[in-house]
Amino acid sequence: MALRINDTAPDFTAETTDGPISFHDWIGEGYAILFSHPKDFTPVCTTELGAMAGMADEFAKRNAKIIGISVDPVENHHKWKADIETVSGNAVGYPMIGDTDLKVAKLYDMLPAATEGSAEGRTPADNATVRTVFIVGPDKKVKLSLTYPMTTGRNFEEILRALDSIQLTATHQVATPANWKDGEDVIITAAVSNEDASARFGDYETVLPYLRTTKQPM
């Protein structure tokens, strides 16, 4: 069964570049960005890990931890860090999970549960589906998942934008429209009556009977 939005993110223990972790305990009371890679020392992934390293402070401001995962061993991850910094200019300060037995990849339905063997001898093409980003909330539920092909580098500005929306809409009864960015107008959800909308948000615009917009709550 595929892992869906609002499913509990599977807990696991694993070795990382920062030592052993238990995933749910590691998340704590904030959010987590888990992003996966099919193989170390691959070109697109090298740029992605560097991009995330450069955005670490932005995620930290939002009480979100970053953690990477690749099927290769932790020792390889440590060696890979030098290449990542050379390419991006950013040092990787977040943990990277070593998933040599493919346990986490299978647990998160990025590889079939029936996949046999270990990471040894597997090529990036064998692990092409290990290219997913998960946002996990403080309640340990999956809030977002996005899977990309190997040849398409991920847009982590979009992950940051989505996190802003997820956190805003978890606090207020609003939704965000297409291409929304932090600070722009939002949509009042159908669960809020017009009377409550006036009391809660003040002025709002009725674009359509089912589409009401207002300033972003602070």
Side-chain angles (χ1 to χ4, degrees), residues 9 14 16-17 23 36-37 50 59 64 68 76 82 97 101 110 118 128 134-135 164 169 189 193:
T16 79
T17 49
F23 186 52
S36 63
H37 308 274
F59 284 101
N76 287 16
I97 297 166
D101 59 1
M110 294 183 285
S118 67
F134 296 94
I135 296 181
D164 282 338
T169 58
T189 63
S193 69

Side-chain angles (χ1 to χ4, degrees), residues 3-4 6-11 24 108 136 139-142:
L3 197 59
R4 298 187 175 95
N6 290 327
D7 284 350
T8 297
D11 197 12
H24 283 191
Y108 277 72
V136 181
D139 57 0
K140 313 305 182 286
K141 304 287 188 183
V142 174

